[in-house]
Amino acid sequence: MKTSNRVLNLKDSPTLELNDAINRKILNGEDIINLTVGEPNYYEPKESSTAAIKAIQKHFTHYTASAGIEPLRKAISEKLIKENNLKFSPEQIVVSNGGKQALYNTFSTLINQGDEVLIPTPAWPTYFEQVKLCGGTPTPIKLNEDSAFKLTPEILQNSISSKTKILVLNSPSNPTGATYSKEDLLTIEPIIEENHLIVISDEIYERLVFSEDKFISPLSISPYMQSHSILVNGYSKAFGMTGWRIGYSAAPIAISKKINAFQSQTTANISSISQIAAQYALNHFDTNHVNNLKNNRDKLVNTIRTKTELDLRQTPTGAFYLFPNVSKLLGRTLFGKKISNAGDFCQLLLDKVGVATTPGDIFLAPENIRISYAKDAKTMDKVNERLINFFERSVLNGN
Ligand SMILES: Cc1ncc(COP(=O)(O)O)c(C=O)c1O
């Protein structure tokens, strides 16, 4: 049987694939700490699980409105006003099966064949695959440590062509943790506006910000940005609710109606039980998660800078990833093995000290690796010890 051309080159999500492979090894008894996955070590607020159990007992288990139940969309609308200074009515919100579906709905609603979608890289690989599935042309804007992995007006201007329709922003970023300040956003806003770009703002790591400055939604910096952007967010990262599959989009009303039409014809509502859990989660975000992640980050950054040969120029201010550069190690031989690329280094780290990380080529940054540090403090102590041990032994073993 022949597949459609659309899916001919479609691959499984490489980050999920890698995570599954590492978890299989762990199940087989291997002593591995899995730092590949973009998943927190904490769980939903207890108010959510209690409300969800009650919902099942009361048989709140039938179809709901495709866009989500009214109280949940109202709660999200109020959250956006209170926390982000963004005015979206409940009708402008569609609750989806994770941020992933909210993004796919949005790309499907906006992209025509051949439209260019600018994706600043390093970036989460799903953006590329979803844009291609919708017939668009994903166009990477290559960023690196020189601009702290952030767009500058010059870089953005030089990336725009007559076919450019959409710019994807992801602040804080997976995989770099880079977070745009208000000043950063104000410098690129005029270029976005002059070129009539639509922004898709993926704010899924919004609550996980460690700097003194609060998170700033790109939509909040100008009237143009609010009226020409689609905001995507979800519960996976902030509330540790990856398996509940809760995300949402907030968009101008005409776009939101089409996003809802698209969803109602493809999957309809997300689980009714998850919706109840989501409604109760919003006011119960645990700020301890942010403090714990910040501690993990600080210790790991210190280890990397003082005890390893990995290069970390900027301390990321959000999400739960470090994205150090391994270029100093390329071409060298460690433990008798030549390191030709970041993947070789990740493999050696796994083989020698049982620490699993993700090669940067998955994010279009072949000289970096991603380390997810959303683990408990004890596990992170072990990670720090193992990294130190790796670099101490590598000096003795053919450096
Ligand atoms: C940048 C980014 N956006 C969106 C998502 C989607 O998450 P979910 O579908 O679990 O809400 C992820 C998950 O890894 C992500 O890293």
Tab-separated table of all heavy atoms in Angstrom, residues 307-335:
chain	number	residue	atom	x	y	z
A	307	LYS	N	34.131	22.446	35.963
A	307	LYS	CA	34.698	21.087	36.012
A	307	LYS	C	34.631	20.336	34.683
A	307	LYS	O	34.965	19.161	34.644
A	307	LYS	CB	33.925	20.246	37.046
A	307	LYS	CG	33.833	20.854	38.426
A	307	LYS	CD	35.068	20.513	39.226
A	307	LYS	CE	34.799	20.798	40.650
A	307	LYS	NZ	35.618	21.499	41.441
A	308	THR	N	34.118	20.959	33.640
A	308	THR	CA	34.010	20.229	32.369
A	308	THR	C	34.593	21.073	31.230
A	308	THR	O	34.934	22.242	31.428
A	308	THR	CB	32.536	19.911	31.995
A	308	THR	OG1	31.920	21.105	31.483
A	308	THR	CG2	31.741	19.389	33.169
A	309	GLU	N	34.681	20.431	30.079
A	309	GLU	CA	35.152	21.180	28.908
A	309	GLU	C	33.994	21.584	28.002
A	309	GLU	O	34.176	21.906	26.832
A	309	GLU	CB	36.152	20.322	28.144
A	309	GLU	CG	37.412	20.095	28.949
A	309	GLU	CD	38.474	19.389	28.148
A	309	GLU	OE1	39.044	20.016	27.239
A	309	GLU	OE2	38.696	18.206	28.420
A	310	LEU	N	32.798	21.551	28.540
A	310	LEU	CA	31.653	22.057	27.785
A	310	LEU	C	31.625	23.569	27.934
A	310	LEU	O	32.015	24.116	28.962
A	310	LEU	CB	30.352	21.460	28.342
A	310	LEU	CG	30.271	19.935	28.376
A	310	LEU	CD1	28.979	19.490	29.039
A	310	LEU	CD2	30.353	19.388	26.962
A	311	ASP	N	31.129	24.218	26.895
A	311	ASP	CA	31.155	25.677	26.882
A	311	ASP	C	29.715	26.198	27.011
A	311	ASP	O	28.864	25.874	26.181
A	311	ASP	CB	31.757	26.101	25.533
A	311	ASP	CG	32.251	27.523	25.592
A	311	ASP	OD1	32.283	28.091	26.692
A	311	ASP	OD2	32.592	28.066	24.520
A	312	LEU	N	29.467	26.958	28.063
A	312	LEU	CA	28.122	27.513	28.252
A	312	LEU	C	28.264	29.016	28.413
A	312	LEU	O	28.576	29.504	29.491
A	312	LEU	CB	27.482	26.893	29.505
A	312	LEU	CG	26.033	27.256	29.740
A	312	LEU	CD1	25.110	26.541	28.758
A	312	LEU	CD2	25.618	26.901	31.159
A	313	ARG	N	28.056	29.739	27.315
A	313	ARG	CA	28.303	31.186	27.369
A	313	ARG	C	27.243	31.930	28.145
A	313	ARG	O	27.532	32.811	28.921
A	313	ARG	CB	28.442	31.756	25.961
A	313	ARG	CG	29.914	31.799	25.578
A	313	ARG	CD	30.163	32.054	24.141
A	313	ARG	NE	29.732	33.337	23.632
A	313	ARG	CZ	29.739	33.643	22.343
A	313	ARG	NH1	30.161	32.759	21.455
A	313	ARG	NH2	29.339	34.810	21.924
A	314	GLN	N	25.982	31.591	27.924
A	314	GLN	CA	24.909	32.301	28.634
A	314	GLN	C	24.250	31.373	29.647
A	314	GLN	O	24.108	30.185	29.385
A	314	GLN	CB	23.830	32.785	27.662
A	314	GLN	CG	24.241	33.973	26.825
A	314	GLN	CD	24.847	33.562	25.494
A	314	GLN	OE1	24.641	32.447	25.026
A	314	GLN	NE2	25.586	34.463	24.878
A	315	THR	N	23.873	31.933	30.776
A	315	THR	CA	23.062	31.169	31.728
A	315	THR	C	21.607	31.343	31.309
A	315	THR	O	21.085	32.460	31.315
A	315	THR	CB	23.249	31.717	33.159
A	315	THR	OG1	24.631	31.624	33.482
A	315	THR	CG2	22.439	30.928	34.168
A	316	PRO	N	20.943	30.252	30.927
A	316	PRO	CA	19.555	30.409	30.466
A	316	PRO	C	18.644	30.906	31.579
A	316	PRO	O	18.825	30.523	32.737
A	316	PRO	CB	19.143	28.998	30.047
A	316	PRO	CG	20.327	28.139	30.182
A	316	PRO	CD	21.390	28.863	30.914
A	317	THR	N	17.677	31.734	31.230
A	317	THR	CA	16.822	32.334	32.253
A	317	THR	C	15.432	31.701	32.319
A	317	THR	O	14.576	32.171	33.068
A	317	THR	CB	16.679	33.846	32.008
A	317	THR	OG1	16.431	34.047	30.618
A	317	THR	CG2	17.925	34.591	32.409
A	318	GLY	N	15.198	30.655	31.547
A	318	GLY	CA	13.882	30.024	31.609
A	318	GLY	C	13.899	28.593	31.123
A	318	GLY	O	14.947	28.063	30.742
A	319	ALA	N	12.714	27.950	31.162
A	319	ALA	CA	12.516	26.530	30.814
A	319	ALA	C	13.356	25.644	31.739
A	319	ALA	O	13.710	26.075	32.843
A	319	ALA	CB	12.786	26.261	29.350
A	320	PHE	N	13.691	24.412	31.316
A	320	PHE	CA	14.532	23.584	32.200
A	320	PHE	C	15.608	22.853	31.408
A	320	PHE	O	15.833	21.664	31.598
A	320	PHE	CB	13.707	22.632	33.074
A	320	PHE	CG	12.532	21.962	32.381
A	320	PHE	CD1	12.727	21.056	31.340
A	320	PHE	CD2	11.234	22.223	32.803
A	320	PHE	CE1	11.665	20.424	30.734
A	320	PHE	CE2	10.139	21.603	32.191
A	320	PHE	CZ	10.366	20.699	31.154
A	321	TYR	N	16.249	23.616	30.504
A	321	TYR	CA	17.290	23.025	29.674
A	321	TYR	C	18.566	23.856	29.731
A	321	TYR	O	18.514	25.090	29.793
A	321	TYR	CB	16.847	23.001	28.211
A	321	TYR	CG	15.503	22.365	27.981
A	321	TYR	CD1	14.388	23.142	27.659
A	321	TYR	CD2	15.338	20.985	28.085
A	321	TYR	CE1	13.140	22.561	27.448
A	321	TYR	CE2	14.096	20.396	27.880
A	321	TYR	CZ	13.009	21.182	27.561
A	321	TYR	OH	11.784	20.611	27.352
A	322	LEU	N	19.708	23.136	29.680
A	322	LEU	CA	20.967	23.811	29.350
A	322	LEU	C	21.345	23.334	27.962
A	322	LEU	O	21.054	22.198	27.583
A	322	LEU	CB	22.077	23.437	30.336
A	322	LEU	CG	21.917	23.859	31.789
A	322	LEU	CD1	23.219	23.602	32.546
A	322	LEU	CD2	21.511	25.318	31.928
A	323	PHE	N	22.031	24.195	27.226
A	323	PHE	CA	22.357	23.867	25.830
A	323	PHE	C	23.828	24.177	25.566
A	323	PHE	O	24.157	25.017	24.724
A	323	PHE	CB	21.435	24.682	24.912
A	323	PHE	CG	21.250	24.082	23.554
A	323	PHE	CD1	20.722	22.809	23.390
A	323	PHE	CD2	21.590	24.800	22.407
A	323	PHE	CE1	20.531	22.260	22.139
A	323	PHE	CE2	21.399	24.267	21.146
A	323	PHE	CZ	20.867	22.991	21.010
A	324	PRO	N	24.732	23.486	26.296
A	324	PRO	CA	26.151	23.810	26.149
A	324	PRO	C	26.717	23.415	24.784
A	324	PRO	O	26.177	22.533	24.111
A	324	PRO	CB	26.817	23.002	27.261
A	324	PRO	CG	25.867	21.910	27.571
A	324	PRO	CD	24.495	22.438	27.290
A	325	ASN	N	27.802	24.073	24.445
A	325	ASN	CA	28.476	23.872	23.170
A	325	ASN	C	29.619	22.870	23.365
A	325	ASN	O	30.375	22.979	24.321
A	325	ASN	CB	29.010	25.238	22.728
A	325	ASN	CG	29.473	25.233	21.310
A	325	ASN	OD1	30.386	24.508	20.967
A	325	ASN	ND2	28.838	26.035	20.479
A	326	VAL	N	29.716	21.911	22.440
A	326	VAL	CA	30.762	20.883	22.584
A	326	VAL	C	31.864	21.047	21.538
A	326	VAL	O	32.697	20.149	21.365
A	326	VAL	CB	30.177	19.443	22.490
A	326	VAL	CG1	29.193	19.175	23.611
A	326	VAL	CG2	29.524	19.185	21.139
A	327	SER	N	31.892	22.186	20.848
A	327	SER	CA	32.811	22.284	19.698
A	327	SER	C	34.279	22.122	20.098
A	327	SER	O	35.090	21.654	19.306
A	327	SER	CB	32.580	23.578	18.921
A	327	SER	OG	32.642	24.660	19.784
A	328	LYS	N	34.631	22.477	21.370
A	328	LYS	CA	36.020	22.311	21.810
A	328	LYS	C	36.444	20.850	21.803
A	328	LYS	O	37.631	20.533	21.741
A	328	LYS	CB	36.139	22.830	23.252
A	328	LYS	CG	36.689	24.241	23.349
A	328	LYS	CD	37.218	24.500	24.741
A	328	LYS	CE	36.200	25.293	25.524
A	328	LYS	NZ	36.448	25.411	26.944
A	329	LEU	N	35.466	19.960	21.908
A	329	LEU	CA	35.793	18.529	21.994
A	329	LEU	C	35.831	17.861	20.628
A	329	LEU	O	36.344	16.748	20.488
A	329	LEU	CB	34.745	17.806	22.854
A	329	LEU	CG	34.676	18.225	24.319
A	329	LEU	CD1	33.464	17.620	24.996
A	329	LEU	CD2	35.948	17.793	25.042
A	330	LEU	N	35.292	18.541	19.605
A	330	LEU	CA	35.188	17.897	18.289
A	330	LEU	C	36.580	17.678	17.702
A	330	LEU	O	37.444	18.553	17.778
A	330	LEU	CB	34.299	18.718	17.342
A	330	LEU	CG	32.857	18.927	17.835
A	330	LEU	CD1	32.025	19.683	16.801
A	330	LEU	CD2	32.176	17.604	18.184
A	331	GLY	N	36.781	16.490	17.150
A	331	GLY	CA	38.095	16.151	16.577
A	331	GLY	C	39.025	15.538	17.613
A	331	GLY	O	40.082	15.015	17.251
A	332	ARG	N	38.654	15.587	18.891
A	332	ARG	CA	39.529	15.007	19.919
A	332	ARG	C	39.152	13.548	20.198
A	332	ARG	O	38.095	13.082	19.798
A	332	ARG	CB	39.429	15.830	21.199
A	332	ARG	CG	40.100	17.164	20.966
A	332	ARG	CD	40.362	18.038	22.121
A	332	ARG	NE	40.417	17.491	23.441
A	332	ARG	CZ	40.043	18.211	24.505
A	332	ARG	NH1	39.572	19.436	24.350
A	332	ARG	NH2	40.152	17.711	25.706
A	333	THR	N	40.075	12.864	20.891
A	333	THR	CA	39.812	11.471	21.230
A	333	THR	C	39.662	11.344	22.741
A	333	THR	O	40.555	11.741	23.487
A	333	THR	CB	40.973	10.579	20.734
A	333	THR	OG1	41.084	10.754	19.320
A	333	THR	CG2	40.736	9.116	21.042
A	334	LEU	N	38.503	10.869	23.182
A	334	LEU	CA	38.255	10.654	24.612
A	334	LEU	C	37.960	9.178	24.818
A	334	LEU	O	37.200	8.592	24.044
A	334	LEU	CB	37.045	11.458	25.094
A	334	LEU	CG	37.036	12.982	24.927
A	334	LEU	CD1	35.772	13.553	25.552
A	334	LEU	CD2	38.246	13.622	25.555
A	335	PHE	N	38.534	8.604	25.844
A	335	PHE	CA	38.349	7.173	26.126
A	335	PHE	C	38.613	6.344	24.862
A	335	PHE	O	37.897	5.395	24.570
A	335	PHE	CB	36.921	6.893	26.622
A	335	PHE	CG	36.591	7.533	27.940
A	335	PHE	CD1	35.912	8.748	27.988
A	335	PHE	CD2	36.951	6.940	29.145
A	335	PHE	CE1	35.586	9.347	29.205
A	335	PHE	CE2	36.618	7.526	30.364
A	335	PHE	CZ	35.941	8.734	30.399
